[in-house]
Amino acid sequence: MTTQIKDKEAFQRLNFLYQAAHCVLAQNPENVELARFYCHTERMISKRLVLRQDPSVKRTICKKCSSLLISGVTSTVRQKKLRGQRKTVVKCLTCGLTNRFLSNPNYKLWCEQPEALLENQPKTDQDKNPVHQKKLSKEKGSSVKVTDEKKQVS
């Protein structure tokens, strides 16, 4: 079974811009402005087309100045213990914005949890309602047998 990805060309364009920003900084670390332009263009395209980017990509782009956050080149990365928890602190060298990420190896993002998948969502009461099932069967043109099983409590 093949699944079609909506806006496949747009995701390819976003991927190209992200990779281009990395290549520009890898060749010459002084080309920060060109990398910022690529990342800013990528963010604007994803906002305009309402496309969700992977959290690993979003965490490597500064939310304030759209700079690509590469450790030692455009950002500093430190491990700190704040309020009893270890956190990774990423500071953008262009604008000074700091991001704090929890350093818990057992932590999972919402998109990685099984409850986030649509297939694992519980059925609604409307789908279990026999009247609704009869309406659906009439719309589909097939018959669905609805039986009521009563359990006796002893």
CSV table of all heavy atoms in Angstrom, one decimal, residues 128-131 133-134 143-151:
chain,number,residue,atom,x,y,z
A,128,LYS,N,-20.5,4.2,17.6
A,128,LYS,CA,-21.0,3.0,18.3
A,128,LYS,C,-22.6,3.0,18.4
A,128,LYS,O,-23.2,2.0,18.7
A,128,LYS,CB,-20.5,2.9,19.7
A,128,LYS,CG,-19.0,2.7,19.8
A,128,LYS,CD,-18.5,2.7,21.2
A,128,LYS,CE,-17.0,2.6,21.3
A,128,LYS,NZ,-16.5,2.7,22.7
A,129,ASN,N,-23.2,4.1,18.1
A,129,ASN,CA,-24.6,4.3,18.1
A,129,ASN,C,-25.3,3.5,17.0
A,129,ASN,O,-25.0,3.6,15.8
A,129,ASN,CB,-25.0,5.8,18.0
A,129,ASN,CG,-26.4,6.0,18.3
A,129,ASN,OD1,-27.2,5.1,18.5
A,129,ASN,ND2,-26.8,7.3,18.3
A,130,PRO,N,-26.2,2.5,17.3
A,130,PRO,CA,-26.8,1.7,16.3
A,130,PRO,C,-27.6,2.5,15.3
A,130,PRO,O,-27.7,2.2,14.1
A,130,PRO,CB,-27.8,0.8,17.1
A,130,PRO,CG,-27.3,0.8,18.5
A,130,PRO,CD,-26.6,2.1,18.7
A,131,VAL,N,-28.2,3.6,15.7
A,131,VAL,CA,-29.0,4.5,14.8
A,131,VAL,C,-28.0,5.1,13.7
A,131,VAL,O,-28.3,5.1,12.5
A,131,VAL,CB,-29.7,5.6,15.5
A,131,VAL,CG1,-30.4,6.5,14.6
A,131,VAL,CG2,-30.7,4.9,16.5
A,133,GLN,N,-25.2,3.8,12.8
A,133,GLN,CA,-24.7,2.7,11.9
A,133,GLN,C,-25.7,2.4,10.9
A,133,GLN,O,-25.3,2.1,9.7
A,133,GLN,CB,-24.4,1.5,12.8
A,133,GLN,CG,-23.1,1.6,13.6
A,133,GLN,CD,-22.8,0.4,14.4
A,133,GLN,OE1,-23.6,-0.5,14.5
A,133,GLN,NE2,-21.7,0.4,15.1
A,134,LYS,N,-27.0,2.4,11.2
A,134,LYS,CA,-28.0,2.2,10.2
A,134,LYS,C,-28.0,3.3,9.1
A,134,LYS,O,-28.1,3.0,7.9
A,134,LYS,CB,-29.4,2.1,10.9
A,134,LYS,CG,-29.6,0.9,11.7
A,134,LYS,CD,-31.0,0.9,12.3
A,134,LYS,CE,-31.2,-0.4,13.2
A,134,LYS,NZ,-32.5,-0.3,13.8
A,143,SER,N,-25.9,-3.6,3.9
A,143,SER,CA,-26.6,-3.8,5.1
A,143,SER,C,-25.6,-4.2,6.2
A,143,SER,O,-24.7,-5.0,6.0
A,143,SER,CB,-27.7,-4.9,5.0
A,143,SER,OG,-27.0,-6.1,4.6
A,144,VAL,N,-25.8,-3.6,7.4
A,144,VAL,CA,-25.0,-3.9,8.5
A,144,VAL,C,-25.9,-4.5,9.6
A,144,VAL,O,-26.9,-3.8,9.9
A,144,VAL,CB,-24.3,-2.6,9.1
A,144,VAL,CG1,-23.5,-3.0,10.4
A,144,VAL,CG2,-23.3,-2.1,8.0
A,145,LYS,N,-25.6,-5.6,10.1
A,145,LYS,CA,-26.5,-6.3,11.1
A,145,LYS,C,-26.1,-5.8,12.5
A,145,LYS,O,-24.9,-5.9,12.9
A,145,LYS,CB,-26.3,-7.8,11.0
A,145,LYS,CG,-27.3,-8.5,11.9
A,145,LYS,CD,-27.1,-10.0,11.7
A,145,LYS,CE,-28.1,-10.8,12.6
A,145,LYS,NZ,-28.0,-12.2,12.5
A,146,VAL,N,-27.0,-5.2,13.2
A,146,VAL,CA,-26.8,-4.6,14.5
A,146,VAL,C,-27.5,-5.5,15.5
A,146,VAL,O,-28.7,-5.7,15.4
A,146,VAL,CB,-27.3,-3.2,14.6
A,146,VAL,CG1,-27.1,-2.6,16.0
A,146,VAL,CG2,-26.6,-2.3,13.6
A,147,THR,N,-26.8,-6.1,16.4
A,147,THR,CA,-27.4,-6.9,17.4
A,147,THR,C,-27.1,-6.4,18.8
A,147,THR,O,-26.1,-5.8,19.0
A,147,THR,CB,-26.8,-8.4,17.3
A,147,THR,OG1,-25.4,-8.3,17.5
A,147,THR,CG2,-27.1,-9.0,16.0
A,148,ASP,N,-28.1,-6.6,19.6
A,148,ASP,CA,-27.9,-6.1,21.0
A,148,ASP,C,-27.7,-7.4,21.9
A,148,ASP,O,-28.6,-8.3,21.9
A,148,ASP,CB,-29.1,-5.4,21.5
A,148,ASP,CG,-29.3,-4.0,20.8
A,148,ASP,OD1,-28.3,-3.5,20.4
A,148,ASP,OD2,-30.4,-3.6,20.7
A,149,GLU,N,-26.6,-7.4,22.6
A,149,GLU,CA,-26.4,-8.6,23.4
A,149,GLU,C,-26.5,-8.1,24.9
A,149,GLU,O,-26.0,-7.1,25.3
A,149,GLU,CB,-24.9,-9.1,23.2
A,149,GLU,CG,-24.7,-9.6,21.9
A,149,GLU,CD,-23.2,-10.1,21.7
A,149,GLU,OE1,-22.5,-10.1,22.7
A,149,GLU,OE2,-22.9,-10.4,20.6
A,150,LYS,N,-27.4,-8.8,25.6
A,150,LYS,CA,-27.7,-8.4,27.0
A,150,LYS,C,-26.9,-9.4,27.8
A,150,LYS,O,-27.1,-10.6,27.6
A,150,LYS,CB,-29.2,-8.4,27.2
A,150,LYS,CG,-29.9,-7.4,26.5
A,150,LYS,CD,-31.4,-7.4,26.8
A,150,LYS,CE,-32.1,-6.3,26.0
A,150,LYS,NZ,-33.5,-6.4,26.3
A,151,LYS,N,-26.2,-8.9,28.8
A,151,LYS,CA,-25.5,-9.8,29.7
A,151,LYS,C,-26.3,-9.8,31.0
A,151,LYS,O,-26.8,-8.8,31.5
A,151,LYS,CB,-24.1,-9.2,30.0
A,151,LYS,CG,-23.2,-9.3,28.8
A,151,LYS,CD,-21.9,-8.7,29.1
A,151,LYS,CE,-21.0,-8.8,27.9
A,151,LYS,NZ,-19.7,-8.2,28.1
